[in-house]
Amino acid sequence: KPCPLCDEAKEALEPYKRRFILQEVDIALPENSAWYDKYKYDIPVFHLNGKFLMKHHVDVQKFEDQLMKLELQND
């Protein structure tokens, strides 16, 4: 379904797209019912490296800080 909030979030993350892999999850699909139950009122939700990071909108500074920490750990 169209998701303007998700589209806005993807746009905010666009400058970083070469530094991470974006995996989108459609929580409306039956196989994602656990995500739906947990986040149905909180989209979009962001996890980085399997850990919850933020919800509702992209906090660019928080995202950038956490992404940089991961990159430094992997170097």
Side-chain angles (χ1 to χ4, degrees), residues 1-7 10 24-29 36 43:
K1 297 179 184 179
C3 177
L5 296 173
C6 299
D7 293 340
K10 287 189 282 187
E24 295 181 56
V25 176
D26 183 347
I27 65 171
L29 297 175
Y36 179 83
I43 62 168

Side-chain angles (χ1 to χ4, degrees), residues 25-51:
V25 176
D26 183 347
I27 65 171
L29 297 175
E31 62 266 26
N32 296 324
S33 62
W35 290 114
Y36 179 83
D37 293 341
K38 189 169 185 171
Y39 293 123
K40 62 186 164 199
Y41 302 116
D42 291 315
I43 62 168
V45 175
F46 306 90
H47 289 83
L48 186 60
N49 209 28
K51 296 179 183 176

